[in-house]
Amino acid sequence: MNRYKGQLRILVAVDCIIFGFDGKDLKVLLIQRGFEPEKNKWSLMGGFLEANENLDEAANRILKQLTGLEDIYMEQIHAFSKVDRDVAERAVSVSYFALIDIARYEKQISYDYHAEWFLINEKPDLIFDHDEMVELARKQLQFKAAIQPILFELLPENFTISQLQNLYEGVYKTTFDKRNFIRKLMSTGLLIKLEVKDKSGSRKGAYLYKLDKRKYNAKLDVFFNYIHDRSELAQQN
Amino acid sequence: MNRYKGQLRILVAVDCIIFGFDGKDLKVLLIQRGFEPEKNKWSLMGGFLEANENLDEAANRILKQLTGLEDIYMEQIHAFSKVDRDVAERAVSVSYFALIDIARYEKQISYDYHAEWFLINEKPDLIFDHDEMVELARKQLQFKAAIQPILFELLPENFTISQLQNLYEGVYKTTFDKRNFIRKLMSTGLLIKLEVKDKSGSRKGAYLYKLDKRKYNAKLDVFFNYIHDRSELAQQN
DNA sequence: CCAAAAGTGTTTATACTACACCCATGA
DNA sequence: TCATGGGTGTAGTATAAACACTTTTGG
């Protein structure tokens, strides 16, 4: 086995932007760093790529370490590589975002890491280039969510329309007309209305909905083909 | 300066997917690898990240090395990290795509690397995971081009409508109705019709157009905000 | 009985699709 | 004169946006 002589070998890190939703607000999970350098400052959860794993596996390992969760929606965002981005040593870091439902998993989060949920707009300043990572992940989330129904990953299994609307409004920092909103969502054919009502949010109670998982998975696959073959999408239900 | 003990340090590579357009077809620039391992096989142009540069700078350095070109549209696509993706040694590679106008720059390409343009659909099999990189870059190009006018980077300064249409049809592997196509393109307000005609493609000659660079740059900025504030876009001309 | 959130339709404007014929020219 | 690519308009459909009142019920 030949090796490449005289080349630079450096640390490769993975940092996770973990988005969560509690039914009302969009949040991000941060930890207080437990080791030097920059000990005790707020940071994304991260770690170094190890010998026997690829980046996706590393991201999943790191997410599990902090939250105890597996099989979570994750996606690679971007490789960050400024020469002095890590004060201790040259390192490239690849950021990933993850989407989780806060209420369902809150108990499983490991408090070894002093993790806390922050409102996206009220988070503290982070170490290194982590602020930039969060900002890019937020844009990517907006972007993806506009063309793909990924935000359902942030919701509990059953949810109300206003929770869903709160989520979209949080992600896009705006408000939507609720009649137009529900019409559009319903036209995707992805929502199934349940008989049950959730009474926690109002006196009247709001109907719960759930995802049609079969259609949802089909739509995720079709993703990149959206330019042509809209007809296929239509047939597919 | 503290260092991170006991962690893996590896090679970080950059590989460039260089797309080109010759007025008729969409192509990709490949080289015949001049060194071991996998010497003489077809490959993307790549190189290793060096100590004094970030990934964007490395990608630009590598592009310049092969094509002599600077200030080219480039974009990071994805970090590839399978454990055994490089047969010689563990390496992560970050792919970039670049868009260039073949006709304008053909002469400057360095033939030290045995570079050749291939039709996207007729390229040879490539080493390592480079086929996967090209495929993802192609999808990303389709994707980006649908929401952002980046394909103009592939055209000469002045171009005809049918060149433009050929380009879009090549990128999306489809055909468009030419009346609807020009109407849509014109509605962006990005095209300026010139007095001059290009007589090379037909007897009648076709009017040349050029980009309104001022508006083009403005639109690139607005990119991620496309969800709200369409009104701003409208005002902006 | 009333505050607070849930739920529900219609109209208008805009964007997209499909479609076919004449024009100008050089060879 | 004719073959080749260039250029143009309209009608129908689908999608998106604006907009306000009634219902339910726990306290």
Side-chain angles (χ1 to χ4, degrees):
Chain A
M1 166 149 146
N2 305 290
R3 300 184 94 240
Y4 299 101
K5 296 227 172 102
Q7 297 292 347
L8 176 71
R9 288 164 182 84
I10 60 176
L11 293 164
V12 175
V14 169
D15 287 298
C16 299
I17 297 96
I18 303 169
F19 290 112
F21 184 66
D22 61 7
K24 204 90 176 90
D25 296 300
L26 184 66
K27 296 182 173 174
V28 62
L29 186 61
L30 302 174
I31 64 168
Q32 244 179 327
R33 202 166 145 105
F35 54 94
E36 295 295 347
E38 305 283 352
K39 190 169 172 178
N40 294 328
K41 295 200 185 160
W42 290 100
S43 136
L44 295 170
M45 181 72 185
F48 293 112
L49 181 67
E50 296 179 357
N52 58 347
E53 63 183 3
N54 63 32
L55 287 164
D56 289 0
E57 288 160 353
N60 279 291
R61 171 174 57 77
I62 289 161
L63 183 72
K64 186 177 177 198
Q65 214 176 323
L66 178 63
T67 65
L69 301 173
E70 290 181 278
D71 300 319
I72 293 296
Y73 185 92
M74 294 193 85
E75 199 171 321
Q76 188 188 115
I77 303 295
H78 194 78
F80 291 80
S81 59
K82 274 212 305 276
V83 171
D84 57 356
R85 53 171 297 285
D86 188 316
V87 298
E89 181 179 346
R90 181 76 197 264
V92 165
S93 176
V94 179
S95 65
Y96 278 75
F97 77 59
L99 302 179
I100 75 182
D101 163 21
I102 293 182
R104 187 159 163 207
Y105 296 116
E106 198 153 23
K107 50 217 72 151
Q108 303 185 49
I109 287 170
S110 165
Y111 290 98
D112 298 352
Y113 298 96
H114 303 96
E116 245 175 71
W117 289 104
F118 289 88
L119 291 174
I120 292 274
N121 302 317
E122 298 176 9
K123 69 168 183 53
D125 289 341
L126 306 180
I127 63 164
F128 302 167
D129 47 8
H130 288 192
D131 288 313
E132 213 181 314
M133 290 183 179
V134 172
E135 190 46 31
L136 187 63
R138 225 181 57 81
K139 284 180 178 165
Q140 195 72 13
L141 178 64
Q142 289 190 350
F143 191 57
K144 276 312 253 319
I147 50 169
Q148 225 190 335
I150 52 170
L151 293 187
F152 292 100
E153 305 286 346
L154 285 156
L155 291 166
E157 192 163 349
N158 301 333
F159 49 85
T160 66
I161 295 297
S162 52
Q163 285 175 330
L164 188 58
Q165 186 167 349
N166 281 338
L167 173 55
Y168 274 87
E169 291 182 345
V171 167
Y172 292 109
K173 289 185 187 162
T174 186
T175 56
F176 298 107
D177 178 276
K178 61 182 174 176
R179 284 163 295 187
N180 292 337
F181 182 80
I182 193 178
R183 185 183 302 121
K184 195 158 163 184
L185 263 292
M186 282 302 166
S187 77
T188 63
L190 290 174
L191 295 186
I192 299 172
K193 187 176 187 170
L194 305 175
E195 296 304 305
V196 204
K197 279 193 163 188
D198 171 276
K199 311 272 279 188
S200 67
S202 70
R203 321 222 153 145
K204 185 178 177 182
Y207 281 105
L208 288 166
Y209 290 75
K210 67 172 187 178
L211 246 197
D212 184 330
K213 294 232 172 83
R214 193 178 58 83
K215 291 188 191 168
Y216 176 71
N217 291 328
K219 294 238 167 168
L220 282 184
D221 292 343
V222 181
F223 187 24
F224 268 121
N225 305 327
Y226 72 110
I227 287 279
H228 331 99
D229 304 327
R230 291 192 208 245
S231 52
E232 280 183 22
L233 263 172
Q235 286 163 21
Q236 196 161 77
N237 67 350
Chain B
M1 167 150 142
N2 305 290
R3 300 184 94 240
Y4 299 101
K5 296 227 171 103
Q7 297 292 349
L8 176 72
R9 288 166 181 84
I10 60 177
L11 293 165
V12 175
V14 169
D15 286 299
C16 299
I17 298 97
I18 303 169
F19 290 113
F21 184 66
D22 60 7
K24 204 91 177 83
D25 296 299
L26 184 66
K27 296 182 173 174
V28 62
L29 186 61
L30 302 174
I31 64 167
Q32 244 179 329
R33 200 165 147 104
F35 53 94
E36 295 294 349
E38 305 284 349
K39 190 169 172 177
N40 293 328
K41 294 200 185 161
W42 289 101
S43 138
L44 294 170
M45 180 72 183
F48 292 112
L49 181 68
E50 296 179 356
N52 57 348
E53 64 184 2
N54 63 31
L55 287 163
D56 289 1
E57 288 160 354
N60 280 292
R61 170 173 58 77
I62 289 161
L63 183 73
K64 185 176 178 199
Q65 213 176 324
L66 178 63
T67 65
L69 301 174
E70 288 180 280
D71 300 318
I72 293 297
Y73 184 92
M74 294 193 84
E75 197 170 322
Q76 188 188 115
I77 302 295
H78 193 79
F80 291 80
S81 59
K82 272 213 305 274
V83 170
D84 56 357
R85 53 171 297 285
D86 188 316
V87 299
E89 181 180 346
R90 181 76 198 265
V92 166
S93 176
V94 179
S95 65
Y96 277 75
F97 74 24
L99 303 179
I100 75 182
D101 163 21
I102 294 181
R104 185 157 164 209
Y105 294 117
E106 197 153 26
K107 50 217 72 150
Q108 303 184 46
I109 287 171
S110 164
Y111 290 99
D112 298 351
Y113 298 97
H114 304 96
E116 245 176 71
W117 289 104
F118 288 89
L119 292 174
I120 293 273
N121 302 316
E122 298 176 10
K123 69 167 183 56
D125 289 340
L126 307 181
I127 63 163
F128 302 166
D129 47 8
H130 288 193
D131 288 313
E132 214 182 314
M133 289 183 179
V134 172
E135 191 46 31
L136 187 62
R138 223 182 56 80
K139 284 181 178 165
Q140 195 72 13
L141 178 64
Q142 289 190 351
F143 191 58
K144 275 314 251 324
I147 48 168
Q148 223 190 336
I150 53 171
L151 294 187
F152 292 100
E153 305 286 346
L154 286 155
L155 292 166
E157 190 163 349
N158 301 334
F159 48 86
T160 66
I161 295 296
S162 52
Q163 285 175 330
L164 187 58
Q165 186 166 351
N166 281 339
L167 174 53
Y168 273 86
E169 291 182 345
V171 168
Y172 293 109
K173 289 187 187 158
T174 186
T175 56
F176 299 108
D177 177 276
K178 62 181 174 176
R179 282 164 295 186
N180 293 337
F181 182 80
I182 192 177
R183 184 183 303 122
K184 195 158 163 185
L185 263 292
M186 282 302 167
S187 76
T188 63
L190 290 173
L191 295 185
I192 299 172
K193 187 176 187 169
L194 304 176
E195 297 303 306
V196 204
K197 280 192 164 191
D198 170 276
K199 312 272 279 188
S200 67
S202 70
R203 321 214 157 163
K204 183 179 177 181
Y207 281 104
L208 288 167
Y209 290 74
K210 68 173 186 180
L211 247 198
D212 184 330
K213 295 230 171 84
R214 191 178 58 84
K215 290 187 191 170
Y216 176 70
N217 291 328
K219 294 236 168 173
L220 282 184
D221 293 342
V222 181
F223 186 25
F224 269 118
N225 305 326
Y226 70 110
I227 288 279
H228 332 99
D229 305 329
R230 290 192 208 246
S231 52
E232 281 183 21
L233 263 172
Q235 284 162 23
Q236 195 161 79
N237 63 349

